[in-house]
């Protein structure tokens, strides 16, 4: 138990304070840097900061769900999805640096909240946990669609990252459904939307 706690604490520290690794080429890295006005650059920074927060939360959610899960196949699927989300974390970190932006000052708080929610979801049963995962990915997909519409049109590097993230999130939702995800009640989906809206509005500025 002590060894496991140390490993999980190490995961948290690495997610929050160590540059994330990626084995895949960063989408859009071959494209030239866009010429942005100060307002456009600030807006791109804020949107990519929101996406970075989303990836911080994804790491914590998957970690929490895996801790609460006993099924080896589901645990492996969660770990694979977490690995892909680590790459998203690396891409958004890099893009924020290119835009001379910063990550959210509240990342430790976001992480702790998402870890708690993920663990609770894992404990209510595998079908419900997978349902929570599938719904999370659907809402993230909608959120990324909105960002593709909202990013400055000439910021093609940010757009390429968001587009590939969207493809991966769709795949994660499909995997959850394949493994037996249960559809969440409407009230639960609405509560998730309200929490997500609060997070994104706060992360835009802080």
């Amino acid at each position: 138990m002590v060894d496991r706690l140390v490993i999980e604490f190490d995961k948290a520290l690495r997610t929050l304070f160590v540059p994330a690794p990626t084995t895949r080429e960063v989408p859009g890295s071959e494209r030239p840097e866009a010429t942005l006005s100060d307002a456009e650059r600030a807006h791109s920074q804020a949107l990519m900061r929101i996406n970075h927060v989303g990836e911080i939360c994804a790491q914590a959610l998957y970690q929490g769900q895996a801790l609460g899960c006993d099924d080896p196949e589901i645990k492996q699927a969660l770990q694979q999805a977490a690995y892909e989300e680590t790459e998203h974390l690396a891409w958004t970190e890099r893009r924020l640096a290119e835009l001379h932006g910063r990550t959210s000052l509240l990342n430790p708080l976001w992480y702790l909240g998402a870890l708690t929610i993920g663990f609770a979801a894992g404990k209510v049963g595998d079908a419900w946990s997978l349902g929570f995962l599938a719904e999370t990915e659907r809402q993230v997909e909608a959120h990324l669609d909105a960002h593709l519409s909202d990013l400055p049109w000439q910021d093609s590097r940010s757009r390429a990252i968001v587009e590939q993230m969207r493809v991966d999130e769709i795949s994660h939702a499909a995997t959850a459904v394949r493994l037996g995800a249960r559809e969440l009640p409407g009230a639960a989906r609405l509560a998730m939307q309200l929490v997500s809206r609060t997070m994104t509005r706060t992360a835009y500025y802080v």
Side-chain angles (χ1 to χ4, degrees), residues 12-13 15 18 22-24 37 48 52 63 81 85 133 138-139 145 158 169 178 184-185 191-192:
L13 292 178
T15 298
V18 178
T22 178
T23 58
R24 298 157 72 186
S37 68
M48 295 309 289
H52 183 265
Q63 183 182 357
E85 299 288 357
L133 170 59
R138 292 188 193 108
Q139 292 191 17
D145 281 338
S158 295
E169 307 300 0
R178 177 179 59 80
L184 296 185
M192 291 170 66

Side-chain angles (χ1 to χ4, degrees), residues 5-73:
L5 288 173
V6 170
I7 290 171
E8 299 304 328
F9 186 64
D10 180 69
K11 286 181 183 178
L13 292 178
R14 288 178 181 275
T15 298
L16 291 169
F17 303 113
V18 178
T22 178
T23 58
R24 298 157 72 186
E25 183 179 356
V26 180
S29 58
E30 78 288 354
R31 301 181 185 182
E33 185 61 76
T35 300
L36 302 171
S37 68
D38 290 345
E40 288 170 335
R41 183 174 299 278
H43 188 51
S44 285
Q45 289 171 354
L47 294 181
M48 295 309 289
R49 179 164 53 251
I50 290 170
N51 289 325
H52 183 265
V53 167
E55 299 308 323
I56 290 285
C57 290
Q59 288 296 308
L61 283 170
Y62 286 126
Q63 183 182 357
Q65 286 182 280
L67 283 170
C69 173
D70 296 320
D71 186 297
E73 183 182 9

Side-chain angles (χ1 to χ4, degrees), residues 123-141:
K123 282 299 185 183
V124 297
D126 291 339
W128 287 114
S129 179
L130 289 168
F132 177 78
L133 170 59
E135 180 60 26
T136 297
E137 300 294 12
R138 292 188 193 108
Q139 292 191 17
V140 171
E141 179 192 350

Side-chain angles (χ1 to χ4, degrees), residues 90-109:
W91 299 347
T92 52
E93 281 178 359
R94 173 170 168 172
R95 187 60 190 145
L96 273 169
E98 290 174 345
L99 291 166
H100 307 294
R102 59 165 177 79
T103 58
S104 173
L105 302 176
L106 300 178
N107 276 342
L109 179 62

